[in-house]
Amino acid sequence: MSTTADGSTASAPPMSSSTATTTAASAAAATTAADPAATAATGAAGPDSPGPAAGPRRAMGWRLRFAVLCLVWGFSFLFIKVGNRGFAPLQVTLGRVGFGALVLVVMLLVTRERLPRSARVWGHLAVAALLLNVLPFSLFAYSELTIPSTLAGICNATSPLWGMLLSLVALSEDRPTRRRVAGLGVGFLGVLTVLGAWQGFSGTDLTGTAMALGASLSYPIGWIYVRRTLAGTGQSHLSMTSAQLLLATAQLAVLTPLFSPMPTSFPVVPLLAVFALGALGTGFAFLLQYGLVAEVGPTTAQMVTYFIPVIGTAAGVTLLDEQLSWNTPVGALIVLAGAALTQSRPRRTAPSP
């Protein structure tokens, strides 16, 4: 169960978010989520399942929740940047998964669902927590020490590209098509455009960018692991994702004191940013995504991926005064176009009578 943003996917946005689930269907929606933790919901329905939505009132309801989800995940990278101003990156990540887990555990109590009981499931979820939460969330937090939140958000959008590349090697049933291979090439051309390759990457911190790209790569690696080990467990998405975030919190509770000194103060604004990143961007976002997938199906719900870099860029430029050169938005559009191509499927032609 991949627990989104950030953005960003054991799910592969059409997409990351974040994004990540324990079912095969989640791959289509989590490889880029601003928060993969939330994308666990994608396995709730078939890729084209319309869900129970009916009537204009319900249609307006899901559109509003879709917009809220886009905003929450789009602001995740801003929250990381602000959190870094008061806390070490690992502390930001610990707060993120901790607050996210708290929200989901409360929902478990409300719905009276149970955590998994199988030791095997917990063992695999521990690995999933490392690959889908601890590693990518930490890498994004460290990357934003030296790169703008806008660039981190765009790097997050490369998850479906990495996912498509890895799936060709690791998943025998996922065969390449000309369109998907073309999408892969277009997407990585977009990455080079964002980084200004023709200028020798001048003005770009390569270490921070590499960490952000590594975080995006971690999501599809985690998804492949989850797909091979945790599909068909019979557990609910809420149960599995709650367990995964609890395990991620435990892992970071051990790691953080080893690499980061205890904070001497708790500045209000960075603390609120970390709380929002976890409670909203990880916990609440999962509940929103789960409801959207159940209502309109993962094909529609995963479209949130394409709005995350746009919102993240707008937030970074307007609220953090980050500089934006022409190649950043142009490259981002090329990346998203490539991601869309890698996730597209040829239309089925109706059999002739």
Side-chain angles (χ1 to χ4, degrees):
M1 179 126 323
S2 58
T3 57
T4 215
D6 293 313
S8 151
T9 166
S11 22
M15 137 192 79
S16 196
S17 100
S18 287
T19 52
T21 76
T22 54
T23 67
S26 55
T31 297
T32 87
D35 197 336
T39 52
T42 47
D48 299 302
S49 169
R57 184 172 299 179
R58 285 187 67 83
M60 181 61 67
W62 81 256
R63 287 184 174 86
L64 177 60
R65 283 179 281 127
F66 182 92
V68 171
L69 186 60
C70 291
L71 285 173
V72 169
W73 276 346
F75 271 79
S76 292
F77 298 97
L78 180 146
F79 292 147
I80 293 172
K81 176 69 76 173
V82 175
N84 279 346
R85 294 175 177 176
F87 305 100
L90 282 179
Q91 292 165 354
V92 171
T93 306
L94 174 59
R96 175 181 187 170
V97 297
F99 287 126
L102 180 61
V103 170
L104 296 188
V105 168
V106 169
M107 281 304 302
L108 274 179
L109 295 175
V110 170
T111 59
R112 296 184 179 182
E113 291 192 40
R114 295 181 178 180
L115 292 170
R117 295 184 176 182
S118 168
R120 171 189 168 277
V121 169
W122 279 91
H124 289 309
L125 282 175
V127 178
L130 176 65
L131 294 174
L132 295 170
N133 303 116
V134 175
L135 183 58
F137 292 0
S138 298
L139 285 174
F140 273 125
Y142 274 106
S143 75
E144 290 199 41
L145 291 176
T146 56
I147 67 173
S149 65
T150 54
L151 180 54
I154 293 170
C155 289
N156 180 70
T158 65
S159 277
L161 304 177
W162 296 117
M164 184 263 184
L165 184 62
L166 290 174
S167 68
L168 299 180
V169 177
L171 300 175
S172 58
E173 71 273 20
D174 202 358
R175 295 301 182 187
T177 64
R178 291 180 181 178
R179 182 182 300 182
R180 301 184 73 194
V181 172
L184 191 63
V186 169
F188 284 112
L189 177 62
V191 172
L192 294 177
T193 303
V194 169
L195 300 180
W198 63 92
Q199 306 174 43
F201 306 107
S202 61
T204 301
D205 183 83
L206 294 182
T207 301
T209 304
M211 286 191 288
L213 291 173
S216 301
L217 173 61
S218 180
Y219 291 138
I221 292 175
W223 162 67
I224 290 173
Y225 176 84
V226 161
R227 181 168 175 175
R228 289 182 175 277
T229 61
L230 286 171
T233 61
Q235 297 286 333
S236 72
H237 300 297
L238 178 59
S239 172
M240 296 285 279
T241 305
S242 299
Q244 183 176 313
L245 280 181
L246 286 172
L247 287 166
T249 303
Q251 292 171 12
L252 282 161
V254 173
L255 291 173
T256 301
L258 298 178
F259 297 97
S260 303
M262 290 293 293
T264 57
S265 62
F266 294 86
V268 175
V269 174
L271 182 61
L272 289 176
V274 173
F275 175 78
L277 180 65
L280 296 179
T282 300
F284 177 65
F286 164 76
L287 300 176
L288 278 179
Q289 178 77 347
Y290 183 85
L292 283 172
V293 171
E295 186 168 335
V296 299
T299 299
T300 300
Q302 70 191 14
M303 294 299 292
V304 68
T305 305
Y306 299 112
F307 294 92
I308 292 171
V310 177
I311 294 173
T313 297
V317 171
T318 58
L319 299 179
L320 298 178
D321 295 324
E322 294 180 344
Q323 299 300 311
L324 192 67
S325 58
W326 69 267
N327 58 297
T328 301
V330 170
L333 289 175
I334 297 174
V335 168
L336 292 176
L341 281 174
T342 65
Q343 300 303 311
S344 64
R345 296 290 188 274
R347 293 183 179 180
R348 297 179 179 177
T349 56
S352 54

